[in-house]
Amino acid sequence: MWAVGSETILHFNGATWSSVTGGATWILFKVWGSSPSDVWAVGQSYTTGNPTFLHYDGMNWSAVPSPSIYQLAGIWGSSASDVWAVGVGGTIIHYDGTNWSSVLSGTTQQLSSVWGTSASNVWAVGSQTILHYDGTRWSTVYDASNVVSGVQGTSRSDVWAVGSSVLLHYDGTSWSSFQSGLELPNFALGVWASSPRNVLAVGYTGFKSACCPGKIAQFNGTTWSSVPIGTLPSLRAIWGSSASDVWIVGDSGTVLHGSPAG
């Protein structure tokens, strides 16, 4: 398992975490891989602001030229030969197993996250927008009321998108706003689901991410509720292999592991 951040790449071997050098000065936002010898990380350079694109081949991390001049913020793929990365200015680039190339997105809005269920069903979210790829082209399918930061689901008919006071659900036909009360973080940055009856959103509550407490909310298929975690820094991302094996990372090197349901 991999986690990335500010000048940081961490690897978990099943027992312990260790720091791995990427050989550059960068801020990494997202990481995704198809296998232990095929992992990608995206972000930006600290010094120039240019996009940072790193690849791990099972032995070493190395920089890869990006076809985009803009910062990259999200990455996901359906296989080693079908990988998408998104970022600033509506940037979308695609990897076919050999080369990365720019793809028309139809928007100039900043994109922050990408996820899908197959090569012909991919979602990208960002600043007040949700895009969909049907296997042929990208199109804008929903105009949100605020910034959307994360997207993930369990199937074609069960997809969640979260953001700044934004909670949206896709039922296979249309996107709709979902009311959660005060349970969801004010600024939800990540979402992950093991089933339609177990969805988790992470982020922070307040006005400044550097000072405000992290928060986890959970959906049981009917309602959202807060998960007690005490006082922690802002939480940035979530991923799991099952409902009982969930990982959450955040500011100040925060790493949580286990089952938020208890």
Side-chain angles (χ1 to χ4, degrees):
M1 188 181 308
W2 296 92
V4 298
S6 178
E7 296 185 277
T8 300
I9 299 178
L10 300 178
H11 181 249
F12 182 71
N13 63 6
T16 59
W17 286 92
S18 59
S19 180
V20 179
T21 178
T25 302
W26 25 243
I27 306 171
L28 296 175
F29 300 116
K30 297 288 174 59
V31 60
W32 176 88
S34 67
S35 73
S37 59
D38 178 42
V39 186
W40 297 91
V42 297
Q44 73 175 59
S45 166
Y46 254 135
T47 55
T48 65
N50 292 332
T52 293
F53 217 7
L54 303 179
H55 183 255
Y56 180 73
D57 61 6
M59 296 293 291
N60 301 295
W61 284 92
S62 57
V64 176
S66 170
S68 169
I69 63 173
Y70 296 108
Q71 167 192 313
L72 299 169
I75 189 166
W76 173 88
S78 68
S79 70
S81 58
D82 177 44
V83 187
W84 295 94
V86 301
V88 171
T91 296
I92 297 182
I93 58 176
H94 181 255
Y95 184 67
D96 61 7
T98 303
N99 300 303
W100 284 93
S101 58
S102 296
V103 178
L104 291 176
S105 67
T107 183
T108 58
Q109 297 280 35
Q110 178 171 330
L111 301 175
S112 56
S113 184
V114 57
W115 173 87
T117 62
S118 70
S120 60
N121 184 54
V122 187
W123 300 94
V125 301
S127 180
Q128 296 180 292
T129 191
I130 296 179
L131 307 181
H132 181 253
Y133 180 72
D134 61 6
T136 302
R137 67 183 184 91
W138 286 92
S139 57
T140 299
V141 295
Y142 190 86
D143 294 321
S145 61
N146 217 327
V147 175
V148 188
S149 301
V151 60
Q152 203 261 358
T154 63
S155 70
R156 283 179 172 267
S157 59
D158 180 42
V159 185
W160 291 89
V162 299
S164 177
S165 299
V166 172
L167 176 60
L168 302 167
H169 182 255
Y170 181 73
D171 62 5
T173 302
S174 61
W175 285 92
S176 59
S177 181
F178 197 100
Q179 299 301 316
S180 67
L182 300 176
E183 291 78 15
L184 205 72
N186 291 39
F187 298 89
L189 301 177
V191 60
W192 177 84
S194 64
S195 76
R197 294 176 297 280
N198 183 49
V199 186
L200 295 158
V202 301
Y204 60 90
T205 297
F207 300 99
K208 295 181 179 179
S209 61
C211 70
C212 304
K215 191 170 186 178
I216 304 173
Q218 186 171 32
F219 182 67
N220 63 8
T222 304
T223 59
W224 284 87
S225 60
S226 297
V227 177
I229 58 172
T231 301
L232 290 174
S234 301
L235 302 176
R236 299 285 174 176
I238 180 170
W239 177 86
S241 65
S242 69
S244 59
D245 179 36
V246 181
W247 293 87
I248 299 171
V249 296
D251 290 359
S252 303
T254 300
V255 178
L256 305 178
H257 179 239
S259 172

